[in-house]
Amino acid sequence: TREEAHHLALALGPAAGVLVIADQGNDRLSRFNTLNATWLTPWFYDGSADSAGMKDPQGIAIDPDGSVWVADSLNGRIQHFS
């Protein structure tokens, strides 16, 4: 099982079946494949050299090319995942 806490926002991307969830309680973005009901690897930070872990993700937007933008509220920044 997977423990999720305080889901504050979610977005369905343009790619078929990928749901992105702001998991505020676990300071990450969870991803779920709705086509085969499986959890994908969660995202904790955007991978850039200056990134610390996400703190209190609150909002998500997915643009037409599938890039994910998240409000990393306690770090005072927007993180980008592609």
Side-chain angles (χ1 to χ4, degrees), residues 12-67:
L12 188 60
V18 177
L19 180 68
V20 181
I21 304 160
D23 184 357
Q24 184 183 23
N26 290 310
D27 294 323
R28 67 182 178 197
L29 292 183
S30 294
R31 297 181 303 142
F32 186 75
N33 184 325
T34 61
L35 300 178
N36 63 12
T38 57
W39 288 101
L40 305 172
T41 304
W43 289 327
F44 295 92
Y45 60 93
D46 66 8
S48 62
D50 62 348
S51 291
M54 203 175 307
K55 296 288 186 199
D56 196 27
Q58 292 197 4
I60 301 173
I62 301 177
D63 64 23
D65 72 0
S67 291

